[in-house]
Amino acid sequence: MSAPDGRSAEGRGELNRPHQANARLAVDIGGTFTDLAIEKGDQRWTAKVLTTPAAPEKGVLEGVAQVLAKAGMAPADLALVIHGTTLATNAIIERKGARTALLTTDGFRDVLALANEARYDQYDLNIELPQPLVRRRWRVSVPERLDNTGKVLVPLDEAAVRAQVEFLKGEGIESLAIGFLHAFVNPAHERRAAEIVREMWPGVPVSLSSEVSPEMREWERFSTTVANAYVQPLMATYLGRLETGLRAAGVTCPLFLMLSGGGLTTIETASRFPIRLVESGPAGGAIFSAFVAKQRGFDKVLSFDMGGTTAKVCLIDGFRPQASRTFEVARVGRFKKGSGLPLRIPVIEMVEIGAGGGSIAQVDSMGRIQVGPESASADPGPACYGRGGTHPAVTDANLSLGRYEPSLFAGGSLPLKPELSRDALAAHVGGKLGLSAEMAGLGVVEMVDENMANAARVHAIESGKGYDGRIVIAFGGGGPVHGYRVAEKIGVKRMLVPSGAGVGSAIGFLRAPVAYEVVKSLYQRFGTFDLAAVNALLASMSAEATKVVSEGAFGAPVEETRIAYMRYVGQGHEISVPLPPRALTAGDVAEIRALYDAEYTRFYDRPVPGSDVEILSFAVTVRTVEAHVEPVAPVADAPAPSPIRVQMVRDTATGEVGEWPVYDRDHMAPGATIPGPAIVAEAETSTLVGPGWTCRMDGLGYLDLTQEAA
């Protein structure tokens, strides 16, 4: 439960970390706010400051100073800093990366533009496809060719490489991607080309497809490598400035980065492969939800993270977030799979939509309220911030409905101006629809909630799962505000709001293991399975992952998981099957084939008899072992606190205005229960308890909301 100075006592299931008695700091840069959390033992201090888009490290350093002051600590007291950011994603979406070139095999310069020739909308005659990050003039090729086994068919033309390097130098290129055909099997040509580039052009960042994404499928491999090259100068420069700024401020402890797959890695690895950071902030939120689910023993959870710019939903089963090895960024078609640039990286699978507190509301040409994906971000921010924003955002809509106390927003550090919200809503939404500012705000909030609920429904359907028996874990600045209504829309009747919910992703960083995943392709069929080749590949992948993890594990015990991606011969998509984390034997091969048939049957009800199975890729993950988490014990009932005030709030389900009592979360004791409608306020967010819901504080200080039976 949070204390008035921003502290919280969680005290259960701490991860086994080096220097556990010392303080650890987590920093999450979002599009609107930068969140920070310090933990030492069972105490926690948090802070939330506005992000500084032009120089993100400034906001980080300001936040570090604030949270250290709250904790009464000196910079030297920190044993570890963990950082996550959406800067790489934003650079790709906004096309603000480096001037990037691609060096590839003769005849393949247009792979980035041709993609896989699929249409994400079959019936759109004016379909807009995502444009490659590299313009055609800077996609250059050289003679060389390998076959699918890695055998050299055409030697690398080194003179051609030198000529193309001279051309690209003259074009002012800032970063180079090298992607040759079948380099994932034999990287020799890519490595030699890189040697030539570094000899002729010292200092230019070079990304090799055989290192960034060593898997088959040229478009995905080239796209991922180009994206890595595109953001590498930006991220390396930013991380360098951040590290320098922290050192100047007296923070001399190690700095780790959150990966999209849910693990931590060193700043050196992050600088080499910044594309693995694209979903680092949202990944922290999923890790946070998984940890909370384990504490409460909830094995079926929907993680709902709503921040200032986006909302993220993620399915968590068996205390593990759903994972994937593909991700799309910068989608042209909103919510439309296949309309973005593909990235072949380990990632926690989630749906992310432009529906945060800063998402801008407007009326389209058909008279419909649209919210996002454009965001007011931190500068100028929603109209109510009074920083020059004139368009209404979701925060303005919530304020117009009475959901926020203007003087206490963000812990009182950012007083809101309701009159500016009303003016913006009236000018850009209400005036065009003949609605008052308040009713326009209701329409905006309902549209946002329906968009998030629809995204959650689609995500569950695509994952072959449902919401029966699930519990929503809501966090982020907006998650507890919108959570109960989203839960109603998807048919979930229970919601949990952990302590520190306003900075949940940052806290999730402190729960993440040091981990690294290596994925490589080696084509195999069970009918002709090469046991020696597979074992050799898995052993090399294990050694590579172990080396990266050992740099940050500080001697902590580690565990390893192995996965093979398989399909029936002739099919187009793979299913993941776990492998034992050791050398495979002949007896294992038949068992793995049986596991595939069983998993395929789980998805599609029946196997395909008589068909051989092919393996396209293998994945090896090494991570530090998570400490045991002790489930929370039930607590006895306790008296409810007295409300600190009453707010006039408009219910978005009925449109009616009524008095909602407001309770201070810090004044609620474990076991205390309050009926809805009500608001539970804290420094970084507020939890809305809707009509027909009740809220009880558990033994961890978490708010447990349940909807009464109709």
Side-chain angles (χ1 to χ4, degrees):
M1 180 172 66
S2 297
D5 62 356
R7 291 177 298 168
S8 120
E10 189 171 292
R12 294 175 185 269
E14 284 296 319
L15 296 185
N16 183 15
R17 286 279 183 268
H19 314 296
Q20 189 169 339
N22 293 324
R24 296 174 294 134
L25 168 67
V27 183
D28 175 29
I29 297 181
T32 305
F33 288 101
T34 294
D35 299 337
L36 302 98
I38 288 180
E39 284 192 354
K40 182 176 182 180
D42 63 353
Q43 291 182 298
R44 183 193 303 140
W45 298 264
T46 61
K48 184 184 283 283
V49 299
L50 284 171
T51 295
T52 50
E57 70 277 4
K58 291 184 178 180
V60 172
L61 295 173
E62 177 189 344
V64 169
Q66 284 190 22
V67 76
L68 283 173
K70 278 187 178 183
M73 293 182 184
D77 293 329
L78 296 175
L80 187 67
V81 176
I82 304 170
H83 179 36
T85 175
T86 57
L87 292 179
T89 311
N90 294 342
I92 296 173
I93 292 173
E94 299 170 9
R95 300 296 173 117
K96 293 182 178 179
R99 288 163 66 94
T100 303
L102 170 66
L103 180 67
T104 189
T105 306
D106 269 353
F108 289 85
R109 66 183 297 201
D110 289 321
V111 164
L112 291 180
L114 293 172
N116 59 4
E117 299 186 347
R119 296 169 62 89
Y120 61 86
D121 190 333
Q122 295 292 334
Y123 303 103
D124 185 354
L125 298 180
N126 299 309
I127 191 170
E128 183 182 355
L129 299 174
Q131 292 299 309
L133 295 173
V134 179
R135 55 184 290 197
R136 192 171 193 272
R137 177 178 176 84
W138 298 334
R139 302 197 299 262
V140 298
S141 62
V142 295
E144 72 84 36
R145 192 63 176 265
L146 305 172
D147 69 9
N148 65 329
T149 67
K151 178 183 177 182
V152 176
L153 300 178
V154 177
L156 176 66
D157 188 332
E158 297 189 5
V161 173
R162 295 179 185 277
Q164 295 291 19
V165 170
E166 290 293 349
F167 166 72
L168 295 175
K169 286 173 67 176
E171 292 288 300
I173 294 300
E174 300 168 335
S175 188
L176 178 64
I178 301 178
F180 292 151
L181 194 67
H182 300 309
F184 62 90
V185 181
N186 180 359
H189 283 182
E190 284 192 355
R191 290 175 179 173
R192 178 55 188 148
E195 289 176 0
I196 295 172
V197 171
R198 292 176 178 127
E199 170 194 322
M200 298 179 61
W201 201 355
V204 67
V206 179
S207 297
L208 305 184
S209 76
S210 55
E211 294 178 348
V212 176
S213 180
E215 297 185 69
M216 61 179 63
R217 296 190 173 103
E218 281 69 43
W219 177 43
E220 290 87 346
R221 180 160 55 92
F222 290 0
S223 176
T224 307
T225 307
V226 162
N228 192 78
Y230 189 72
V231 300
Q232 191 172 24
L234 168 74
M235 293 302 297
T237 301
Y238 161 70
L239 292 174
R241 293 198 312 266
L242 176 63
E243 190 173 32
T244 299
L246 289 172
R247 300 295 179 256
V251 180
T252 58
C253 61
L255 173 62
F256 284 78
L257 276 297
M258 186 78 193
L259 294 171
S260 304
L264 305 176
T265 194
T266 61
I267 192 169
E268 292 79 14
T269 302
S271 297
R272 283 186 64 205
F273 304 116
I275 200 60
R276 289 200 173 198
L277 305 178
V278 291
E279 286 290 274
S280 62
I287 295 294
F288 177 61
S289 282
F291 182 83
V292 169
K294 184 178 290 188
Q295 288 181 304
R296 288 299 310 268
F298 298 151
D299 63 351
K300 293 176 65 178
V301 160
L302 175 71
S303 173
F304 173 47
D305 175 8
M306 183 177 177
T309 304
T310 58
K312 287 77 65 175
V313 294
C314 174
L315 294 169
I316 297 174
D317 292 286
F319 317 123
R320 284 289 175 95
Q322 192 163 293
S324 177
R325 60 195 183 105
T326 59
F327 176 70
E328 282 185 25
V329 67
R331 283 183 173 174
V332 175
R334 194 179 183 194
F335 307 145
K336 292 185 177 179
K337 185 177 291 188
S339 67
L341 299 173
L343 302 179
R344 200 81 166 175
I345 57 171
V347 64
I348 289 178
E349 188 168 3
M350 63 186 75
V351 172
E352 185 171 353
I353 63 174
S359 297
I360 294 174
Q362 56 189 331
V363 177
D364 67 13
S365 59
M366 298 180 67
R368 301 172 301 183
I369 296 176
Q370 296 287 338
V371 182
E374 296 82 8
S375 175
S377 65
D379 187 14
C384 58
Y385 283 12
R387 297 163 60 92
T390 58
H391 287 79
V394 174
T395 298
D396 294 301
N398 279 318
L399 183 61
S400 75
L401 299 179
R403 293 174 152 197
Y404 295 141
E405 168 55 44
S407 63
L408 300 177
F409 186 77
S413 64
L414 185 62
L416 303 181
K417 298 176 172 56
E419 67 280 3
L420 296 181
S421 291
R422 287 192 292 269
D423 292 345
L425 285 164
H428 295 279
V429 180
K432 296 180 180 181
L433 299 177
L435 300 173
S436 66
E438 291 75 18
M439 292 306 293
L442 185 150
V444 169
V445 169
E446 268 293 277
M447 185 59 67
V448 168
D449 290 347
E450 185 57 41
N451 284 343
M452 291 186 291
N454 187 54
R457 294 186 197 104
V458 171
H459 184 44
I461 292 169
E462 290 179 343
S463 303
K465 298 178 180 179
Y467 285 110
D468 287 345
R470 283 196 187 273
I471 294 163
V472 170
I473 296 180
F475 57 99
V481 177
H482 293 258
Y484 89 88
R485 185 67 176 137
V486 173
E488 286 180 343
K489 288 176 177 288
I490 61 176
V492 173
K493 300 184 180 301
R494 192 172 183 184
M495 183 176 86
L496 198 69
V497 180
S499 58
V503 293
S505 289
I507 296 172
F509 297 168
L510 300 172
R511 306 287 174 264
V514 179
Y516 197 72
E517 179 176 283
V518 177
V519 182
K520 292 188 177 182
S521 288
L522 177 64
Y523 184 81
Q524 292 287 301
R525 288 193 183 187
F526 279 99
T528 56
F529 198 85
D530 189 337
L531 197 60
V534 170
N535 278 331
L537 176 70
L538 291 172
S540 68
M541 294 167 66
S542 175
E544 181 180 343
T546 300
K547 181 178 183 298
V548 174
V549 171
S550 65
E551 295 173 0
F554 299 110
V558 299
E559 60 184 1
E560 181 176 323
T561 56
R562 298 180 177 185
I563 292 173
Y565 296 96
M566 312 178 188
R567 66 188 186 189
Y568 287 115
V569 173
Q571 291 186 332
H573 299 280
E574 300 87 58
I575 291 176
S576 62
V577 176
L579 304 178
R582 53 169 172 76
L584 300 177
T585 66
D588 291 326
V589 176
E591 291 183 14
I592 295 167
R593 166 63 199 259
L595 282 174
Y596 173 80
D597 287 335
E599 187 69 1
Y600 188 90
T601 301
R602 187 181 73 83
F603 271 96
Y604 305 109
D605 290 335
R606 60 184 296 273
V608 180
S611 179
D612 199 0
V613 173
E614 55 189 4
I615 303 176
L616 275 68
S617 302
F618 296 87
V620 173
T621 303
V622 175
R623 61 167 57 85
T624 51
V625 178
E626 297 179 14
H628 174 70
V629 176
E630 193 69 33
V632 61
V635 293
D637 292 339
S642 299
I644 56 175
R645 63 179 182 274
V646 173
Q647 288 179 200
M648 299 301 294
V649 179
R650 188 179 297 273
D651 180 11
T652 57
T654 65
E656 297 177 356
V657 178
E659 293 184 346
W660 287 35
V662 179
Y663 299 87
D664 189 333
R665 183 167 183 166
D666 295 329
H667 296 166
M668 288 186 69
T673 301
I674 58 173
I679 298 175
V680 182
E682 56 186 300
E684 283 92 13
T685 187
S686 293
T687 300
L688 266 63
V689 185
W693 290 72
T694 59
C695 174
R696 187 178 192 271
M697 179 166 280
D698 71 9
L700 290 169
Y702 298 170
L703 301 179
D704 194 340
L705 281 67
T706 55
Q707 187 179 26
E708 300 169 1

